[in-house]
Amino acid sequence: MSAADDGANGANRTLGQLVATATTELSALVHDEIALAKAELRQDAKRVGIGGGAIAAAGTLALFSLPVLSFAAAFGIHNLGLGLAWSFLIVGGAFLLIAALLGLLAVAKFKKVSKPEKSIASAKQTAAVLGTVKPHPRPLTDTSPADASVTRSTV
């Protein structure tokens, strides 16, 4: 139904049609809100993934390669004529520097993660609009015991 049809026939629609239209529009609104939130969170999830990968790389470097490469590099430097203690100190400092650079990369990626601002603003706006809606007053009906004896179908 188009907007022109709504204006011309809006008074002719039944309560059921109005409720169905409202339900459909509310469902579409909720689906659009969820889609917007997913799009914003997907962007931030990529940044978190890159930052987490950098931390994992830094940890892997520190745990597995440090002992083997430290010994190989230290003894290589020692063969150049420097003392063994200074050789190990130089190698250890180099690995700490690399780990620090990877840690800084991870922190920079994590700082770029932000809240889904558009989704939050849209949800607040929707809540504000829905908060101003007043229910239609219903006429009081007499609920007598005769109503209780009416058999209803299960369909």
Side-chain angles (χ1 to χ4, degrees), residues 89-105:
L89 187 60
I90 291 170
V91 171
F95 282 126
L96 285 176
L97 180 65
I98 292 170
L101 290 175
L102 287 172
L104 288 175
L105 173 69

Side-chain angles (χ1 to χ4, degrees), residues 21-113:
T21 301
T23 303
T24 302
E25 289 177 3
L26 186 60
S27 176
L29 178 65
V30 169
H31 285 291
D32 290 345
E33 294 289 337
I34 290 171
L36 177 61
K38 282 182 181 179
E40 287 182 326
L41 292 175
R42 190 175 298 124
Q43 204 173 37
D44 287 339
K46 183 177 179 182
R47 290 183 182 134
V48 169
I50 292 171
I55 286 178
T60 301
L61 178 67
L63 289 176
F64 295 119
S65 68
L66 197 71
V68 174
L69 294 176
S70 294
F71 279 100
F75 280 110
I77 293 172
H78 177 67
N79 285 338
L80 295 174
L82 203 57
L84 193 57
W86 285 109
S87 300
F88 275 100
L89 187 60
I90 291 170
V91 171
F95 282 126
L96 285 176
L97 180 65
I98 292 170
L101 290 175
L102 287 172
L104 288 175
L105 173 69
V107 168
K109 291 296 178 183
F110 285 137
K111 283 186 178 181
K112 288 184 180 179
V113 174

